[in-house]
Amino acid sequence: HQGLRERAHERKEELQQKANEETQVRGRPVRRGDIFKIVGLAAFVGIISLVSWLVWPYIHMMFEPGGIDQVIESVRDAGPMGFLILLALQFLQIVVAFIPGEATQMAAGMLYGPWIGGLVILLGSILSSAFVFMVVHRLGAPFVKDMVSEKWMDKFERFEKSGKLELIVFVLFLIPGMPKDIFTYLVPLTDMRMRTFLLLSNIGRIPGILVSTYAADGLIDGRFAESAVLFAVAAVIAVLGIVFQKRIMKFLEKRSHRDK
């Protein structure tokens, strides 16, 4: 692990040196890193705007009374395109984070059942997490500071220094009620490699995805009591995760510092 961190650190320094190199734009010296950041930010905004425009009718439905049922009916009518619509909704759910994660998971379970629906949601999570990782890794901390409070950035910096970042990331994505979308923007600021992050974070998401899609499928299949119990248990655990969020973070900080 130490060797990987050293190589990652060397790679980061090499990229930083290249970013600080200057080039001429209309006769004026400009850092290559600044050019890349402007282009990257424009591409990020463009992609999000395009995806949002394409799926806006479905997003709008989700916030109306009976919205999930309307989305399900519309996606079913779309045929094979329904998979792409669901992927796009899940993509926006993580990248923009204004769509409730449970809503897309329930829709997936009702549409395609717990296994195929869960697989679509997991694939969407992997693609969106990889997209965010690449954007943040290139644009750096200033890009994230506009969306995430500095206290969260400080916490992850301490997690990284503790040498327990991998374990902590897995635990945080496993616990319901934690702000996983915020973590998706913070981890790329550390030395963790993208494939490690994608593996740990999305394995941590699997239990929650399966519970939501299975319970939603039960509503369609007539297993109302079973679904009610699953939703109740998931809701209680999520509420506990939200209520004890600060305590969980403090515990992880103390434990990582102690192990160090």
Side-chain angles (χ1 to χ4, degrees):
H1 287 291
Q2 185 63 30
L4 289 174
R5 290 194 184 92
E6 289 177 356
R7 286 195 292 272
H9 184 69
E10 291 173 359
R11 176 62 176 165
K12 184 180 288 187
E13 289 184 343
E14 181 182 344
L15 291 173
Q16 187 62 42
Q17 289 177 354
K18 291 182 178 179
N20 289 328
E21 294 177 358
E22 290 188 348
T23 186
Q24 296 291 322
V25 178
R26 294 186 177 182
R28 296 182 179 180
V30 180
R31 290 175 63 251
R32 293 182 183 274
D34 292 337
I35 296 175
F36 189 87
K37 287 179 180 179
I38 292 172
V39 174
L41 184 59
F44 176 82
V45 173
I47 292 172
I48 296 304
S49 299
L50 176 61
V51 176
S52 299
W53 178 74
L54 291 173
V55 300
W56 175 250
Y58 304 97
I59 297 173
H60 184 69
M61 286 181 198
M62 295 181 77
F63 292 94
E64 294 180 348
I68 292 181
D69 291 334
Q70 294 180 50
V71 171
I72 290 171
E73 184 177 352
S74 298
V75 173
R76 279 179 175 165
D77 292 341
M81 283 295 294
F83 287 99
L84 295 179
I85 294 170
L86 189 59
L87 275 176
L89 288 171
Q90 180 61 19
F91 180 88
L92 285 181
Q93 191 275 313
I94 290 179
V95 175
V96 185
F98 65 86
I99 303 173
E102 292 76 15
T104 55
Q105 292 170 15
M106 286 181 61
M110 291 178 175
L111 280 165
Y112 305 114
W115 305 113
I116 295 178
L119 186 61
V120 173
I121 292 296
L122 184 61
L123 178 59
S125 298
I126 293 172
L127 293 175
S128 54
S129 297
F131 174 76
V132 171
F133 193 100
M134 289 188 292
V135 169
V136 174
H137 197 62
R138 293 292 183 266
L139 300 184
F143 171 71
V144 178
K145 283 182 179 178
D146 294 334
M147 299 178 291
V148 180
S149 67
E150 194 168 340
K151 71 171 186 177
W152 285 110
M153 299 179 72
D154 292 339
K155 286 181 184 295
F156 270 78
E157 185 177 350
R158 290 194 291 271
F159 290 155
E160 182 179 17
K161 291 179 179 179
S162 73
K164 301 291 182 181
L165 182 62
E166 290 85 356
L167 177 61
I168 291 172
V169 167
F170 174 73
V171 171
L172 291 177
F173 276 85
L174 181 65
I175 299 175
M178 302 298 286
K180 298 177 178 62
D181 300 325
I182 291 178
F183 302 155
T184 302
Y185 279 88
L186 289 171
V187 176
L189 297 176
T190 70
D191 287 334
M192 182 179 288
R193 303 174 75 178
M194 183 171 72
R195 64 185 182 187
T196 302
F197 169 64
L198 294 179
L199 182 67
L200 294 174
S201 62
N202 287 290
I203 288 178
R205 291 181 188 271
I206 288 176
I209 292 174
L210 287 178
V211 169
S212 295
T213 53
Y214 185 83
D217 177 65
L219 295 178
I220 299 296
D221 202 33
R223 306 190 311 272
F224 300 114
E226 181 180 356
S227 294
V229 170
L230 286 174
F231 279 131
V233 171
V236 169
I237 295 175
V239 169
L240 290 175
I242 294 171
V243 171
F244 294 103
Q245 182 183 117
K246 291 183 178 180
R247 294 188 182 182
I248 292 171
M249 298 299 292
K250 285 182 180 179
F251 172 79
L252 291 174
E253 286 186 76
K254 290 181 181 178
R255 183 61 182 267
S256 61
H257 180 72
R258 185 187 311 160
D259 291 342
K260 181 181 177 183

